[in-house]
Amino acid sequence: MNVPSKVKCFAWRICKRILLTKATLCHRHLISDLVCEACGLAAETTGHLLWDCNKAKEIWNGVSLNLEGLGNGCDDFTDILWKFIENETSSPMNLELFITIYWGIWLNRNEVRNGEPVKSGREIVRRALYLVDEFSAANLSTQNKTNTKEFKWSAPSRNKLKINVDGAIFKNAREAGVGVIIKD
Ligand SMILES: [Zn+2]
């Protein structure tokens, strides 16, 4: 997957069932309260927090990914992943987004525990889209740089201006950015 290492590491932790949810901490006798803080209705297991919780459902219902037949939070995460990959409409980009949204839910859960505000489902999806696009664009520009001859910047001659410009398009987030430097 073309995603940051932190997202890959997070996915690996879920697959190995070692994500430190409240249920896991409780199982290790480190805390005694295992109730999900987002809904207060069930134990905070990985499956509940990232898939079955009302907060997670709000997010998954709002994304344009085909999630039909993926099962529920009680299923092993690797099974959910395989079903997603086998889905005929899935693509590597969709898988990257799927995993990054998972990571985004977990990130906001940790942010809230550190006193930061609860993000809406829409914001979590938007942040995931941005991260996937930004990482992809950054990798592309690195690849392009390695294939291109290095040119050294030189100052413009007298009474002239030199304009350097670069831009990027974040297709999924439907945003674009541009930077311009003008030097004499
Ligand atoms: Zn919950």
Side-chain angles (χ1 to χ4, degrees), residues 135-148:
F135 191 76
S136 168
N139 275 359
L140 200 66
S141 86
T142 308
Q143 282 168 12
N144 288 345
K145 264 183 196 158
T146 54
N147 296 333
T148 316

Side-chain angles (χ1 to χ4, degrees), residues 35-86:
V35 177
C36 168
E37 287 170 24
C39 68
L41 298 172
E44 191 200 58
T45 60
T46 302
H48 171 79
L49 183 73
L50 304 173
W51 196 248
D52 286 338
C53 182
N54 292 341
K55 174 80 186 172
K57 281 182 177 163
E58 175 206 329
I59 292 166
W60 295 119
N61 287 338
V63 295
S64 55
L65 294 171
N66 185 359
L67 306 175
E68 265 179 51
L70 297 193
N72 58 52
C74 298
D75 294 334
D76 194 280
F77 180 68
T78 44
D79 288 338
I80 292 178
L81 265 187
W82 276 119
K83 284 179 196 167
F84 184 85
I85 292 165
E86 283 170 356

